[in-house]
Amino acid sequence: IFDEIYHIAPLHLEEPPDSSIEYQSDKIKFIALKSYGGESIGQKLSILSTAPYNLKKINSVLKNFDREDWVQFRAPTAMGLYVLPFLKIMNKSKLWVKYAGNWKMEDPPLSYRFQKWWLENNYQGAKVTINGYWEGQKDHILDFQNPCFDKDELDRAGKIGAVKNFDGKLTLCFAGSLTPNKGVDILLDALKMTETKNEIEEMIFAGDGSERKKYEKAASEINMKISFQGLLSRSELEKVYEKSHIIILPSQSEGFPKVIAEAAAYGCVPVVSDVSSISQYFDETKSFLLKNINAAEIKMKLDIALSNRKKLKEMSLSCIKAAEIFTYEHYMDSLRSKI
């Protein structure tokens, strides 16, 4: 669609994780901003101290744009507090804002609340893409699915998922950051409580986090095979999906986690929090939705899933079908027609 793409983003001076890949096109030019944020007061204040430099770098690119060029900004982020108003003042190009968080989050941080209010009331004068659709949604706010794979990848995954056997012991997986907010604590508690341990071959955690050692210790006390595989490349993660039957994601807040669609393409049935737009794409014919995000609810849903293998297989096939709208091809068609 575009002849040139300028990717303007903070550059972190560290080794990239295995989940990162290099640009595949020489059309993309990277413009490095100063990174900011952290846990200490000084690190938090760096959001403000880096703003003048970052705005200058953004402006150095935008000053060469004309009315036919497009700017896309990803929100919500701390940088959005000053970049969104700056882009409005510049008012040089067509603007598209991707709001990647939970559009219907009940108690968002103050900075997120401001950005949502700003975008919802169209002060930006932009197309805004979100995960999901709700009654009364304004015309400039568009439902957009996050793409995960191309059609060839989808077809390959679907063939693997179609013949996946749900008899015998099943493999479970989790993919994401190893943090309390992603529900790792309560998932381990649920595994400890479940009465169907003998029906589980393995529980795989794909991802990493500062509390990994704590989680590994807790897992060692559960009478079940549990492995922590760290940050994985895309091909390595696909191997996890290939051998797994159920993906469990009991996170507290999400927009729409790509890993649900990725795993679904391989026929993995989600046990997932009923937050944001997740149920709009994976309803109860395709997933086990956690209404109360706690260990008891996860245990109950897992026990139900393992008790009816025929239904689980039917849900798996429905998941493969549901994954079709998460291709890059579908995304590009939506980009052309909606934006």
Side-chain angles (χ1 to χ4, degrees):
I1 292 180
F2 300 105
D3 299 315
E4 282 187 309
I5 297 174
Y6 292 89
H7 182 187
I8 310 172
L11 175 63
H12 298 270
L13 301 178
E14 58 193 45
E15 284 296 311
D18 289 342
S19 54
S20 296
I21 59 171
E22 296 180 9
Y23 295 130
Q24 303 297 304
S25 170
D26 58 9
K27 290 182 176 183
I28 304 172
K29 312 289 189 297
F30 178 69
I31 309 296
L33 301 180
K34 287 184 177 179
S35 60
Y36 59 86
E39 295 302 320
S40 70
I41 296 293
Q43 289 172 326
K44 290 182 186 300
L45 289 174
S46 69
I47 294 167
L48 298 175
S49 63
T50 56
Y53 176 89
N54 288 343
L55 285 174
K56 185 177 179 181
K57 291 289 274 188
I58 294 169
N59 189 52
S60 70
V61 177
L62 294 188
K63 69 182 183 182
N64 297 315
F65 275 37
D66 61 35
R67 299 294 297 185
E68 295 308 308
D69 294 321
W70 278 88
V71 175
Q72 191 235 38
F73 184 76
R74 183 191 183 281
T77 175
M79 190 186 291
L81 291 173
Y82 62 83
V83 175
L84 283 173
F86 175 76
L87 293 175
K88 174 65 176 177
I89 293 166
M90 289 290 290
N91 196 30
K92 288 185 64 176
S93 306
K94 298 172 182 176
L95 184 62
W96 159 28
V97 179
K98 170 189 168 70
Y99 193 93
N102 179 357
W103 187 250
K104 290 295 182 181
M105 190 174 183
E106 289 184 5
D107 190 25
L110 188 60
S111 63
Y112 286 23
R113 193 177 305 162
F114 167 76
Q115 290 171 72
K116 180 179 184 270
W117 169 81
W118 178 267
L119 295 170
E120 188 168 29
N121 288 285
N122 207 18
Y123 293 123
Q124 197 70 33
K127 300 280 190 181
V128 180
T129 58
I130 65 171
N131 296 293
Y133 180 85
W134 285 270
E135 189 175 349
Q137 196 160 292
K138 295 180 179 179
D139 291 343
H140 69 288
I141 299 179
L142 311 172
D143 174 22
F144 238 62
Q145 294 85 35
N146 291 324
C148 306
F149 31 67
D150 61 31
K151 193 174 183 306
D152 289 342
E153 292 173 310
L154 176 69
D155 291 343
R156 185 176 72 250
K159 288 174 183 175
I160 292 168
V163 297
K164 189 168 283 188
N165 186 357
F166 281 79
D167 298 326
K169 291 188 175 185
L170 304 185
T171 297
L172 319 179
C173 72
F174 167 97
S177 303
L178 301 182
T179 62
N181 190 51
K182 292 291 184 180
V184 179
D185 301 72
I186 59 172
L187 174 51
L188 288 170
D189 287 343
L191 293 173
K192 192 172 184 178
M193 293 162 53
T194 186
E195 297 154 6
T196 51
K197 292 184 182 68
N198 62 331
E199 297 185 47
I200 299 171
E201 180 69 33
E202 183 180 6
M203 174 74 220
I204 301 171
F205 285 88
D208 211 341
S210 60
E211 299 190 62
R212 177 174 170 177
K213 289 191 182 301
K214 181 188 86 171
Y215 293 137
E216 287 178 330
K217 184 177 184 303
S220 69
E221 298 169 1
I222 301 172
N223 185 26
M224 181 190 301
K225 184 180 179 183
I226 301 176
S227 62
F228 290 80
Q229 301 194 3
L231 293 171
L232 302 179
S233 67
R234 177 58 183 266
S235 60
E236 290 170 330
L237 187 56
E238 286 175 352
K239 288 175 184 174
V240 172
Y241 296 149
E242 186 172 340
K243 68 189 286 190
S244 299
H245 301 84
I246 294 172
I247 181 168
I248 310 177
L249 294 171
S251 49
Q252 298 293 326
S253 177
E254 291 283 2
F256 182 87
K258 283 187 177 184
V259 293
I260 296 178
E262 289 172 0
Y266 283 86
C268 298
V269 178
V271 175
V272 64
S273 306
D274 188 10
V275 296
S276 187
S277 62
I278 291 173
S279 63
Q280 295 182 24
Y281 304 113
F282 289 88
D283 60 20
E284 290 181 322
T285 66
K286 307 175 191 73
S287 72
F288 294 91
L289 295 170
L290 303 170
K291 306 292 184 180
N292 301 301
I293 308 170
N294 56 42
E297 179 92 349
I298 298 170
K299 174 200 174 296
M300 181 185 72
K301 296 291 185 180
L302 192 54
D303 289 345
I304 292 170
L306 292 169
S307 68
N308 191 337
R309 301 303 181 84
K310 182 181 178 183
K311 181 184 177 185
L312 203 56
K313 177 64 179 179
E314 290 170 355
M315 293 173 75
S316 171
L317 296 174
S318 296
C319 284
I320 296 170
K321 183 71 177 172
E324 292 177 358
I325 63 170
F326 296 94
T327 63
Y328 291 112
E329 289 85 351
H330 179 83
Y331 182 83
M332 298 299 266
D333 288 342
S334 295
L335 184 55
R336 292 185 183 97
S337 63
K338 292 183 178 181
I339 297 183

